[in-house]
Amino acid sequence: MKHFTSVKDVQDIDALVAQALLYKQQPALHSNLGTAKRIGLLFMNPSMRTRISTQVAARNLGMDTIVFNLDKEGWQLELDDDIVMNGTSVEHIRDAAPVLGSYFDILCVRTFPQLLDRDADYSEVLLSKLIAYSGIPIVSLESATLHPLQSLADVITISEHWQEKRKPRVVLTWAPHIKPLPHCVANSFSEWINGWGHAEFVITHPKGYELDEKYTQDASITYDQEAALQEADFVYVKNWSSYHNYGKVLSDGDGWMLTQNRLSVTNNAKIMHCLPVRRNLELSAEVLDGANSIVTQQAANRVWAAQAVLSQILNH
Amino acid sequence: MKHFTSVKDVQDIDALVAQALLYKQQPALHSNLGTAKRIGLLFMNPSMRTRISTQVAARNLGMDTIVFNLDKEGWQLELDDDIVMNGTSVEHIRDAAPVLGSYFDILCVRTFPQLLDRDADYSEVLLSKLIAYSGIPIVSLESATLHPLQSLADVITISEHWQEKRKPRVVLTWAPHIKPLPHCVANSFSEWINGWGHAEFVITHPKGYELDEKYTQDASITYDQEAALQEADFVYVKNWSSYHNYGKVLSDGDGWMLTQNRLSVTNNAKIMHCLPVRRNLELSAEVLDGANSIVTQQAANRVWAAQAVLSQILNH
Amino acid sequence: MKHFTSVKDVQDIDALVAQALLYKQQPALHSNLGTAKRIGLLFMNPSMRTRISTQVAARNLGMDTIVFNLDKEGWQLELDDDIVMNGTSVEHIRDAAPVLGSYFDILCVRTFPQLLDRDADYSEVLLSKLIAYSGIPIVSLESATLHPLQSLADVITISEHWQEKRKPRVVLTWAPHIKPLPHCVANSFSEWINGWGHAEFVITHPKGYELDEKYTQDASITYDQEAALQEADFVYVKNWSSYHNYGKVLSDGDGWMLTQNRLSVTNNAKIMHCLPVRRNLELSAEVLDGANSIVTQQAANRVWAAQAVLSQILNH
């Protein structure tokens, strides 16, 4: 693996999951792999789990880590190639990227979509320019459209909690929120579950919240949450804004909050969420604090997901 | 010691002070004690001494440190268990705490009081929920009501500067400030001096600034600063807002600034302050820059205080 | 070298450049020199290259690094000795400096000028008080008037790209910008090129942008950019505001942007800029992306400049 920005960068998902689970057992297994290597973590947006888990993973591999909050400690990057820079952006990505490439061995970056212009967001211009101009491996810490380290952790978590021979029924259900959120977790989870191929994948959401078919592919999609939840083994709860009516919140989502009662039709399903979660809005507290919630393990697995990815890049 | 949020967590103050003074002589004495252990420093509020000294202490013990400014790099935590999270808070402490507990071996946290609702502040809900839900040792880097790492450094500093057999007379004097400050340094110093038991403890402040008796216990309390300063061996200068008229500034404090002239009645007292200090408002520059000021040593001792505490937790 | 705030702190520039180029070949050459030493990086202002390159340099020498954004994670420092601190500044430099001196072995600091009061900016009060009160070596990460780590990297970069026996013609040309910028890069580059003594030094700018003669000394100064560029071997592009009409932007700088066409009169000159650069305002994109641009190498050399300086301080 050279870069890690999507499931498409992964040759063998099963092997990557196995590597992550090995690190979970033996965090210090390759504690010298990254000796004298330096990783930069570049943030344009807030982060807690991703920020900390990636640092932990890099340290477990013996790498030196430097965190840089570009939005707060630096300045606004310009991405437009033809611009006369007489506005608010202070530095062009074409100038910043090769410099960062000279300081680091691996560069990780988090950026969010604006949710105003779909083509702009979906072109992932920051990631693609970092890849083009930095000269070093680029790892997405969540981009405008995808969140692959989260999705890898999600697949690891499902793997750990599933021992049966049959494929688990994995349901991604939309949940209410008070503001328009990116599609990246839902897109990315869809892309990974499809790529992984070891699940029966169902997506449910209100009409108008259809995701980009590039990611959902031949998942079963229904507007009927109750039907979707029938016999579910895993229920992944997440809000997203509209893709087709780009970035819009189409309704208050009344009746879509996942409650214990609603889960009664599932096969004693495990409950997942990428966190942070809005309690009693996306999910009832009862469900989150219940025995079937695996959100903490899912977040804890972020370390092993990142460690497996960094390890593969270092071994490239 | 499992957690460290108050003097009550300490079994033997004298032993803890001795351990700190040993580290002051030999910072690298236990430089492998924390190998492969990771400490998180979580800030909801600004910090300089505490932030840096705790990192230094952890590094001296061989620990890996990760600083996280939750207020700036993350988002607002929700502490209310029954809320529907449709407001500004993004994540509930019940969800964040166990995740942080999975990433770290020890979690340190700084939070300030709002100074609006005494019961809310004095319930220390953030600390108690972190203890309840993180599953790992929690260290206070200053909380709504106490500042135990500061107080331990204070006791260390007094110990170092006192060789006589008799108990030193230690005077905590209120000082003017331009804005309402928390009670935590004064509460905590009182709690520690009382718990330590090796001082004659006097508190002086204008009427209305009485601290919570839970902390002051049987300290001698007077509104007469001059009387309090008589024969003082150590004078600790600090502002705090009213406890009974909660969070209020009751007067401009005219006449309470500690000056060289006022110190003439003391027993050549050493002058202490936790810093940051407002020069020529709380204390005259003349006193701060004078030979009897030990504020720098006091701040420097923050490292050894933190190192002794972390060491005891690691050895637990 | 004890402190590093100006070229005047350097005994032998050639030796320092040679040391830096040695580290460029062997980054880990002295990877234990800084063992058990701790460096603090104190920022009052944004920084990318300086922030990261200095951390990398310190880590290459085995030092422990702690970054502290005083402006964001701490509070406003007071520099005025006679003030009654009843305003917005929270801590006096006289109190903070010795405490920082107790936590660190070397303290690096970045501060910018206000560009309102020339005497205030040019007195470099923050640096001088840190030197006076911290008790440890102070390294400038860019100050109100100078940027010596940048200038050392600039001299290193010119050295690397010049093999001829004759002195290269080095031209510092003013460039347009949308806002008033400090003089520090231009002052500092002038001071270093003059101190280095191995170049024919020319400065060109519009009338009114004369720099402080203390730094330019006997450089050749002209208002005619085209004349200056004739036979140039290196062209350093940089904006600065007026020194004599302090901090003012005197014109829109029309016609001063460096373009490929304008470079035709040079001796195939290498193009330098300290970055960040405003594309198509200071320099055309064509020049920046052209074969003669060495801005990335120049920024990459920041690591070796910092490593050479820290090494000399550690060896002091």
Side-chain angles (χ1 to χ4, degrees):
Chain A
M1 195 181 330
K2 169 109 201 242
H3 304 287
F4 182 76
T5 65
S6 152
V7 75
K8 291 179 186 140
D9 295 312
V10 182
Q11 281 205 318
D12 183 338
I13 297 177
D14 289 330
L16 195 60
V17 168
Q19 182 76 9
L21 289 171
L22 184 61
Y23 284 135
K24 186 168 185 170
Q25 296 307 315
Q26 302 177 61
L29 183 64
H30 297 139
S31 61
N32 294 315
L33 180 61
T35 301
K37 300 279 183 181
R38 191 164 287 113
I39 192 169
L41 286 81
L42 199 65
F43 289 92
M44 317 277 182
N45 297 94
S47 171
M48 185 174 84
R49 270 154 291 272
T50 302
R51 172 189 297 269
I52 298 173
S53 64
T54 310
Q55 286 182 77
V56 171
R59 297 293 301 130
N60 283 347
L61 294 167
M63 300 192 81
D64 203 22
T65 63
I66 293 182
V67 173
F68 180 41
N69 296 309
L70 185 56
D71 54 335
K72 296 175 188 72
E73 300 172 317
W75 39 69
Q76 196 182 331
L77 283 186
E78 178 60 54
L79 303 178
D80 180 354
D81 275 345
D82 300 318
I83 204 164
V84 175
M85 285 177 61
N86 57 6
T88 52
S89 61
V90 169
E91 181 158 21
H92 201 284
I93 185 74
R94 291 186 70 151
D95 299 312
V99 173
L100 293 168
S102 80
Y103 294 154
F104 297 112
D105 299 286
I106 299 176
L107 184 60
C108 305
V109 63
R110 161 164 289 199
T111 186
F112 284 173
Q114 298 290 324
L115 293 181
L116 299 171
D117 175 341
R118 190 169 77 182
D119 289 347
D121 288 343
Y122 273 66
S123 69
E124 293 284 12
V125 63
L126 176 66
L127 276 186
S128 63
K129 285 188 191 278
L130 281 174
I131 288 172
Y133 299 122
S134 72
I136 57 170
I138 300 298
V139 173
S140 165
L141 301 176
E142 185 173 345
S143 70
T145 64
L146 293 171
H147 195 352
L149 284 173
Q150 177 67 55
S151 306
L152 173 54
D154 298 339
V155 170
I156 292 165
T157 307
I158 293 173
S159 294
E160 277 188 309
H161 284 88
W162 191 250
Q163 317 299 341
E164 296 187 38
K165 287 228 162 166
R166 69 174 175 89
K167 288 184 177 184
R169 180 174 167 94
V170 174
V171 179
L172 170 62
T173 179
W174 183 92
H177 207 282
I178 58 150
K179 56 176 195 174
L181 293 195
H183 312 122
C184 45
V185 170
N187 282 346
S188 190
F189 184 70
S190 300
E191 185 183 55
W192 280 74
I193 293 296
N194 284 323
W196 186 47
H198 302 324
E200 176 198 344
F201 187 33
V202 181
I203 304 174
T204 182
H205 52 70
K207 204 171 173 182
Y209 283 102
E210 287 76 12
L211 294 163
D212 187 348
E213 292 177 14
K214 183 168 74 171
Y215 303 114
T216 58
Q217 292 178 8
D218 44 7
S220 162
I221 300 174
T222 171
Y223 302 144
D224 182 343
Q225 193 190 43
E226 187 176 344
L229 293 175
Q230 293 283 344
E231 296 302 322
D233 298 300
F234 294 89
V235 179
Y236 200 110
V237 186
K238 183 76 186 86
N239 171 269
W240 59 88
S241 60
S242 176
Y243 171 73
H244 291 286
N245 196 347
Y246 192 66
K248 293 291 181 296
V249 173
L250 305 180
S251 77
D252 61 6
D254 244 20
W256 278 81
M257 181 174 81
L258 198 74
T259 60
Q260 199 61 47
N261 183 47
R262 196 154 300 185
L263 287 169
S264 59
V265 300
T266 71
N267 181 29
N268 195 27
K270 301 294 185 190
I271 306 306
M272 303 177 71
H273 190 288
C274 60
L275 305 183
V277 61
R278 298 268 179 157
R279 282 188 165 232
N280 297 320
L281 182 63
E282 295 179 78
L283 264 172
S284 72
E286 185 193 27
V287 175
L288 269 168
D289 299 333
N292 282 27
S293 167
I294 54 173
V295 300
T296 299
Q297 296 95 307
Q298 191 183 350
N301 283 335
R302 296 291 307 276
V303 172
W304 321 116
Q307 191 167 344
V309 166
L310 296 178
S311 172
Q312 285 215 359
I313 291 174
L314 287 170
N315 278 317
H316 180 69
Chain B
M1 197 181 329
K2 170 107 200 245
H3 305 288
F4 182 75
T5 65
S6 151
V7 75
K8 290 180 187 139
D9 295 312
V10 182
Q11 280 205 317
D12 182 338
I13 298 177
D14 289 329
L16 195 61
V17 169
Q19 182 75 8
L21 289 171
L22 184 62
Y23 283 135
K24 186 167 186 170
Q25 295 308 315
Q26 303 177 61
L29 182 64
H30 297 137
S31 60
N32 294 315
L33 180 61
T35 300
K37 299 281 183 180
R38 191 165 286 113
I39 193 169
L41 286 81
L42 199 65
F43 289 92
M44 317 278 181
N45 296 94
S47 171
M48 184 174 86
R49 272 155 289 271
T50 302
R51 174 188 297 268
I52 298 172
S53 64
T54 310
Q55 285 182 78
V56 171
R59 297 294 301 129
N60 283 348
L61 294 168
M63 300 192 81
D64 202 22
T65 63
I66 293 182
V67 173
F68 181 43
N69 296 309
L70 186 57
D71 54 335
K72 295 176 189 71
E73 300 172 316
W75 38 67
Q76 195 182 331
L77 283 186
E78 179 61 54
L79 303 179
D80 179 353
D81 275 345
D82 299 318
I83 204 164
V84 174
M85 285 178 60
N86 57 6
T88 52
S89 61
V90 168
E91 181 158 20
H92 201 286
I93 185 72
R94 291 187 69 151
D95 299 312
V99 173
L100 293 168
S102 80
Y103 295 153
F104 297 113
D105 299 287
I106 299 177
L107 184 61
C108 306
V109 63
R110 163 165 288 199
T111 186
F112 284 174
Q114 298 290 325
L115 293 180
L116 298 172
D117 175 338
R118 191 169 77 182
D119 289 345
D121 289 343
Y122 273 66
S123 70
E124 293 284 10
V125 63
L126 176 67
L127 276 186
S128 63
K129 285 186 190 282
L130 280 175
I131 289 173
Y133 299 121
S134 71
I136 58 170
I138 300 298
V139 172
S140 165
L141 301 175
E142 184 171 346
S143 69
T145 63
L146 294 171
H147 196 352
L149 284 172
Q150 177 65 56
S151 306
L152 173 54
D154 298 339
V155 170
I156 291 165
T157 307
I158 293 172
S159 294
E160 276 188 309
H161 285 87
W162 191 251
Q163 317 299 342
E164 297 187 38
K165 287 229 163 164
R166 70 174 173 90
K167 288 183 176 185
R169 180 174 167 94
V170 173
V171 179
L172 170 62
T173 179
W174 183 92
H177 206 281
I178 58 149
K179 57 177 194 171
L181 293 196
H183 312 121
C184 44
V185 170
N187 283 346
S188 191
F189 184 70
S190 300
E191 186 183 55
W192 279 75
I193 293 297
N194 283 324
W196 186 46
H198 302 324
E200 176 197 344
F201 187 33
V202 181
I203 304 173
T204 181
H205 52 70
K207 203 168 174 184
Y209 283 101
E210 286 76 10
L211 295 163
D212 187 347
E213 292 177 13
K214 183 168 72 172
Y215 303 114
T216 58
Q217 292 178 9
D218 44 6
S220 161
I221 300 174
T222 170
Y223 303 144
D224 181 343
Q225 193 191 43
E226 187 177 344
L229 294 174
Q230 294 282 346
E231 296 302 321
D233 298 299
F234 294 89
V235 179
Y236 200 110
V237 186
K238 183 75 186 85
N239 170 269
W240 60 88
S241 59
S242 176
Y243 171 73
H244 291 287
N245 195 347
Y246 192 66
K248 293 290 181 299
V249 172
L250 305 180
S251 77
D252 61 6
D254 244 22
W256 278 81
M257 182 174 81
L258 198 74
T259 60
Q260 200 62 47
N261 182 46
R262 196 154 301 183
L263 287 169
S264 61
V265 300
T266 71
N267 181 29
N268 194 28
K270 300 295 185 190
I271 306 305
M272 303 176 72
H273 190 289
C274 60
L275 305 183
V277 60
R278 298 270 180 155
R279 281 187 168 236
N280 298 319
L281 182 62
E282 294 180 78
L283 265 173
S284 72
E286 182 192 31
V287 174
L288 269 168
D289 299 334
N292 281 27
S293 167
I294 54 174
V295 299
T296 300
Q297 297 96 305
Q298 190 183 350
N301 282 335
R302 295 292 307 275
V303 172
W304 321 116
Q307 192 166 343
V309 166
L310 295 178
S311 172
Q312 284 216 0
I313 290 173
L314 287 169
N315 278 317
H316 178 68
Chain C
M1 197 181 325
K2 169 106 201 244
H3 305 288
F4 182 75
T5 65
S6 151
V7 75
K8 291 181 186 139
D9 295 311
V10 181
Q11 280 205 318
D12 183 338
I13 297 177
D14 289 330
L16 195 60
V17 168
Q19 181 75 8
L21 290 171
L22 184 62
Y23 284 134
K24 186 168 185 169
Q25 296 307 315
Q26 301 176 64
L29 182 64
H30 297 138
S31 61
N32 294 315
L33 180 62
T35 300
K37 300 279 183 182
R38 191 164 287 112
I39 193 169
L41 286 82
L42 199 65
F43 289 92
M44 318 277 182
N45 297 94
S47 170
M48 184 175 83
R49 271 156 290 272
T50 303
R51 175 189 296 269
I52 298 172
S53 64
T54 310
Q55 285 181 77
V56 171
R59 294 295 300 131
N60 283 348
L61 294 168
M63 300 191 82
D64 201 23
T65 63
I66 293 181
V67 173
F68 181 43
N69 295 308
L70 186 56
D71 54 335
K72 295 175 188 71
E73 300 171 317
W75 38 70
Q76 195 183 329
L77 282 187
E78 179 60 54
L79 303 178
D80 180 352
D81 275 344
D82 299 318
I83 205 164
V84 174
M85 286 177 61
N86 56 6
T88 53
S89 61
V90 168
E91 181 158 19
H92 201 285
I93 186 73
R94 290 187 70 150
D95 299 311
V99 172
L100 293 168
S102 80
Y103 295 154
F104 297 113
D105 298 288
I106 299 177
L107 184 61
C108 305
V109 63
R110 162 164 287 198
T111 186
F112 284 174
Q114 298 291 324
L115 293 180
L116 299 172
D117 175 340
R118 189 169 78 181
D119 289 344
D121 288 342
Y122 273 66
S123 70
E124 293 283 13
V125 63
L126 177 67
L127 277 186
S128 63
K129 285 188 191 280
L130 281 176
I131 289 172
Y133 299 122
S134 73
I136 57 170
I138 299 298
V139 172
S140 166
L141 301 175
E142 184 172 343
S143 70
T145 64
L146 294 171
H147 195 353
L149 284 173
Q150 177 66 53
S151 306
L152 173 54
D154 298 339
V155 171
I156 291 165
T157 307
I158 293 172
S159 294
E160 276 188 309
H161 285 87
W162 192 249
Q163 317 299 343
E164 296 187 37
K165 286 228 164 170
R166 69 173 174 90
K167 287 184 178 185
R169 180 173 167 95
V170 173
V171 179
L172 170 63
T173 178
W174 184 92
H177 206 281
I178 57 150
K179 56 176 195 173
L181 293 195
H183 312 121
C184 44
V185 170
N187 282 345
S188 191
F189 184 70
S190 300
E191 185 182 56
W192 279 74
I193 293 297
N194 283 324
W196 186 46
H198 302 323
E200 175 197 346
F201 187 34
V202 181
I203 304 173
T204 182
H205 53 70
K207 201 168 174 183
Y209 284 102
E210 287 76 10
L211 294 162
D212 187 348
E213 292 178 12
K214 183 167 72 170
Y215 302 114
T216 58
Q217 292 178 9
D218 45 7
S220 160
I221 299 173
T222 170
Y223 302 142
D224 181 344
Q225 192 191 44
E226 188 177 344
L229 293 175
Q230 293 282 347
E231 296 303 320
D233 298 298
F234 293 88
V235 179
Y236 200 109
V237 186
K238 183 73 186 87
N239 170 270
W240 60 88
S241 59
S242 176
Y243 171 73
H244 290 287
N245 196 348
Y246 192 66
K248 292 290 180 298
V249 172
L250 305 180
S251 76
D252 61 5
D254 244 19
W256 278 80
M257 181 174 80
L258 199 74
T259 60
Q260 199 62 46
N261 182 48
R262 196 154 300 184
L263 286 169
S264 60
V265 301
T266 71
N267 181 30
N268 194 28
K270 300 294 184 191
I271 307 304
M272 302 176 72
H273 190 288
C274 59
L275 306 184
V277 60
R278 297 270 179 157
R279 281 185 167 235
N280 298 318
L281 182 63
E282 296 179 78
L283 266 172
S284 72
E286 184 192 29
V287 175
L288 268 168
D289 299 334
N292 282 26
S293 166
I294 54 173
V295 299
T296 299
Q297 296 95 306
Q298 190 183 350
N301 282 335
R302 296 292 307 276
V303 172
W304 322 116
Q307 192 167 342
V309 166
L310 296 179
S311 172
Q312 284 215 0
I313 291 173
L314 287 169
N315 278 317
H316 180 67

